Amino acid sequence: KQIEENQGDKNFNKYEKIERIYPEEPTTIHNDFITANMDVSEPLFRLGIKEKKIPKDTKQMIKQDFATEMLIDLLIGKSSDLYQDLYDQGLVDDHFSNYYVLEKGYSYLLLGGKTKDPDLLFQKILEGFKTKIKNITKEQFDRIYKKNLGEYVETFNSFEAVASQFISYNFKGINYFDILNIMQDIDFNDIHNRYEELIIEEQMVRSIIK
């Protein structure tokens, strides 16, 4: 109400309708291996996986986003066996990170960090993913689900976080307060389905800075 009253006293020029053009992004990758030599103390490794499945329905996008975050947390999150093994072998450190991006028309998973042996790390990640997905238990899924649920609820402790998230999801056509219902629609099978849809070697791109 305060914003409306404040802006109501101002005169604005009328603009024509905005036309947004979204280029058609191909589902295939451009190059599967990129390398460069730079002034770094240790090699830098990044693994990108280009997503093929991009839902047009907004609620399905949000569900896919959360389900993928849970999958990656289970596969190679800081509390996973794979991450601990890689850490113990000195192939990753505390700065190893991962994040998933899902927007209209494009999507990808990116993970990586500093490593003493990029080729061995890539091999270990592939092997670890294949082993882990076969052994994920319902108990592990429930733990990660509750962790994500807790993180969502925790945002309500911060007015700034709520405002930021509310605006972000509003642009996607989703009320931030409806996220809970979408999250509750994710089940154990969704995690396995996400793995089959996303973790595809032909969609992987490696980037190494030596």
Side-chain angles (χ1 to χ4, degrees):
K1 184 179 177 182
Q2 287 180 349
I3 293 172
E4 287 175 346
E5 290 175 351
N6 176 274
Q7 298 298 295
D9 295 333
K10 300 176 182 179
N11 294 317
F12 297 99
N13 294 326
K14 291 186 177 180
Y15 290 94
E16 298 295 326
K17 183 179 179 182
I18 297 172
E19 181 183 2
R20 292 181 172 87
I21 300 173
Y22 296 96
E24 192 67 32
E25 175 68 26
T27 57
T28 55
I29 61 174
H30 177 66
N31 193 348
D32 64 356
F33 186 75
I34 303 166
T35 185
N37 289 294
M38 298 178 70
D39 187 17
V40 293
S41 58
E42 259 192 312
L44 303 180
F45 169 85
R46 290 291 184 275
L47 175 63
I49 307 179
K50 192 170 187 178
E51 176 78 78
K52 281 188 172 184
K53 182 183 178 184
I54 304 176
K56 293 183 178 180
D57 179 77
T58 306
K59 289 188 177 181
Q60 285 301 316
M61 281 185 67
I62 303 302
K63 179 180 177 181
Q64 178 169 312
D65 196 352
F66 277 102
T68 306
E69 294 284 356
M70 292 181 195
L71 169 66
I72 302 308
D73 217 351
L74 285 164
L75 291 177
I76 199 168
K78 291 291 175 72
S79 62
S80 68
D81 295 336
L82 176 57
Y83 174 82
Q84 290 300 321
D85 289 342
L86 295 174
Y87 187 88
D88 292 341
Q89 295 175 51
L91 291 172
V92 301
D93 60 17
D94 291 334
H95 298 290
F96 184 87
S97 62
N98 65 75
Y99 63 87
Y100 178 67
V101 174
L102 176 59
E103 298 291 345
K104 291 180 179 179
Y106 70 95
S107 177
Y108 60 88
L109 167 67
L110 187 67
L111 52 88
K114 294 190 296 183
T115 181
K116 62 183 181 182
D117 193 332
D119 294 329
L120 181 59
L121 176 57
F122 177 61
Q123 177 187 336
K124 292 286 186 181
I125 288 174
L126 289 187
E127 293 172 354
F129 280 4
K130 292 173 183 177
T131 300
K132 182 61 179 179
I133 193 61
K134 296 175 183 177
N135 299 306
I136 292 176
T137 65
K138 182 65 166 55
E139 289 73 21
Q140 290 172 329
F141 166 77
D142 289 341
R143 178 173 57 82
I144 293 298
Y145 174 84
K146 291 175 181 177
K147 171 179 174 285
N148 280 264
L149 186 63
E151 289 174 349
Y152 167 72
V153 173
E154 188 180 19
T155 63
F156 292 96
N157 287 331
S158 166
F159 179 77
E160 181 181 0
V162 172
S164 174
Q165 292 296 325
F166 191 91
I167 293 169
S168 175
Y169 280 101
N170 187 65
F171 280 123
K172 296 177 181 179
I174 290 288
N175 188 320
Y176 187 59
F177 300 110
D178 293 336
I179 294 296
L180 180 61
N181 294 330
I182 297 174
M183 290 182 66
Q184 289 176 331
D185 196 33
I186 300 172
D187 60 30
F188 189 49
N189 291 329
D190 289 320
I191 300 301
H192 286 272
N193 291 337
R194 278 279 63 218
Y195 181 90
E196 296 298 327
E197 294 163 351
L198 177 63
I199 310 300
I200 303 172
E201 289 190 43
E202 290 76 17
Q203 296 294 107
M204 295 182 181
V205 179
R206 275 186 294 161
S207 173
I208 299 173
I209 297 179
K210 298 180 180 180

